[in-house]
Amino acid sequence: MAEIIDGRAIARQLDEKTRSEVDALVRDGYPAPGLTVILVGNDPASEVYVRRKIKACELVGIASTEHRLPADTSQEDLLALIDKLNNDNSVHGILCQVPLPDHIDTRRVLRSIAPEKDVDGFHPVNVGRLSTGSGGIVPCTPLGVMKLINSVIPDLTGKNVVVIGKSNIVGKPVANLLLDAEATVTVTHIYTAGLPEICRQADVIVAAAGAPELVRGHWVKDGAVLIDVGITRQETQEGKTKLVGDIKFDEVQHAAAVTPVPGGVGPMTIACLLANTVQAARTSMVGNGSSDSDYADARSRSMFIGLGPNPK
């Protein structure tokens, strides 16, 4: 029977550490880290995500603010708001919730956020730092994936890891993190031939294709560790809906460990967003004039916080 990797419990552990870092900054006379969330329009899923993020900020002591803009907000007005926030010293993290309305260039907007305040880790500067191992802010979901893997495999040296999906948001950055951890990494995608055979050689599979129940039981060798990043809402025969991942969960109980959907990667994404915000605040307030190596050290401390074994 596969061990269930409890993302909610691990996220709570990380939140406790984040809260202690916030308390330490405040005790040292610094203001609480500040995160600003921008929501353009009223996309229902985005509304839910924003509420969760704001609530999570409250729990760890991060000062959160919201800017809710109408769907017809011009790109120029949105960029002007981001420029104002970039120059506001009380704001340490900026998150612009996507998707944005069709008339707004999402890439331009995300690139307009100052790299040191880009707590999503999407700015090209942070992407470049990650790919070269030179610091920066790590995207939240890949960071959460690494923490989940490390909860059951603390040392990935030489492990054979297969990443399914090559997106800029998950697949590529998680592959870079795995390489930094000395794993042997195979990145696959929709045109990869012989995917089941490739997966059967893996010690770890990270499924991030957005393809419901793609990974079947016969793809997985005994004792593998499975991280399911996918999440799709499906209608049941009873007319209700359920969330399913990229892994056929009930077929992989011969694995060593697997993340559930929901309750696996999702909670870690928000917890890592909070950790990134504190990292950005500490760099801004404590690390003025810090070198790239100092920044890399700060990233390392945030990314590899010891969480111990998978909590029961």
Side-chain angles (χ1 to χ4, degrees):
M1 194 73 170
E3 175 184 0
I4 305 302
I5 304 174
D6 190 342
R8 291 190 176 96
I10 298 173
R12 285 195 297 270
Q13 281 194 340
L14 181 55
D15 284 346
E16 289 172 6
K17 290 182 177 292
T18 299
R19 176 78 208 201
S20 68
E21 290 188 17
V22 172
D23 291 344
L25 283 171
V26 173
R27 282 197 306 271
D28 289 342
Y30 297 102
L35 173 66
T36 293
V37 179
I38 302 171
L39 178 62
V40 183
N42 55 0
D43 177 79
S46 293
E47 292 270 3
V48 172
Y49 293 149
V50 167
R51 284 198 299 270
R52 289 178 181 171
K53 290 167 184 175
I54 296 300
K55 179 63 175 178
C57 284
E58 295 174 0
L59 294 175
V60 301
I62 291 174
S64 62
T65 57
E66 291 180 74
H67 289 271
R68 291 178 173 263
L69 307 177
D72 60 355
T73 297
S74 69
Q75 179 168 290
E76 290 71 23
D77 286 346
L78 177 56
L79 292 172
L81 171 60
I82 292 173
D83 182 63
K84 179 181 178 182
L85 296 172
N86 282 339
N87 291 286
D88 185 341
N89 290 333
S90 69
V91 176
H92 304 107
I94 302 171
L95 187 152
C96 189
Q97 185 68 41
V98 293
L100 291 168
D102 291 342
H103 66 280
I104 294 177
D105 183 340
T106 298
R107 287 188 177 183
R108 183 176 175 186
V109 168
L110 295 180
R111 289 177 180 180
S112 72
I113 298 172
E116 64 274 14
K117 298 188 178 188
D118 165 41
V119 288
D120 262 334
F122 293 157
H123 193 282
V125 168
N126 286 318
V127 173
R129 281 175 162 164
L130 174 60
S131 66
T132 57
S134 56
I137 298 176
V138 180
C140 303
T141 298
L143 180 55
V145 167
M146 289 300 294
K147 291 182 183 296
L148 291 170
I149 296 173
N150 287 153
S151 74
V152 290
I153 308 179
D155 183 2
L156 283 165
T157 301
K159 297 293 185 182
N160 185 2
V161 183
V162 171
V163 178
I164 305 175
K166 63 180 181 67
S167 73
N168 293 327
I169 295 174
V170 180
K172 291 177 183 176
V174 84
N176 278 317
L177 292 172
L178 288 161
L179 288 169
D180 283 348
E182 307 298 347
T184 300
V185 184
T186 301
V187 179
T188 68
H189 47 78
I190 193 171
Y191 297 110
T192 299
L195 183 56
E197 290 77 13
I198 293 172
C199 288
R200 277 194 287 271
Q201 305 304 311
D203 301 308
V204 179
I205 298 174
V206 179
E213 299 182 333
L214 170 70
V215 179
R216 306 299 296 268
H218 66 280
W219 294 27
V220 177
K221 74 176 184 180
D222 290 353
V225 171
L226 311 178
I227 306 296
D228 195 342
V229 184
I231 185 165
T232 302
R233 189 174 295 276
Q234 289 186 336
E235 186 171 339
T236 67
Q237 292 181 345
E238 296 77 23
K240 300 180 181 179
T241 60
K242 66 175 182 177
L243 298 177
V244 299
D246 284 1
I247 297 172
K248 184 71 170 174
F249 186 83
D250 58 1
E251 292 185 2
V252 297
Q253 294 308 303
H254 58 289
V258 59
T259 59
V261 175
V265 174
M268 291 300 297
T269 298
I270 294 180
C272 289
L273 170 69
L274 305 181
N276 279 352
T277 300
V278 175
Q279 174 192 335
R282 182 175 291 279
T283 301
S284 171
M285 296 187 291
V286 181
N288 288 335
S290 64
S291 66
D292 279 349
S293 62
D294 293 332
Y295 200 0
D297 287 343
R299 165 181 167 245
S300 179
R301 286 194 298 274
S302 175
M303 188 169 76
F304 295 112
I305 288 173
L307 293 176
N310 184 21
K312 304 297 183 187

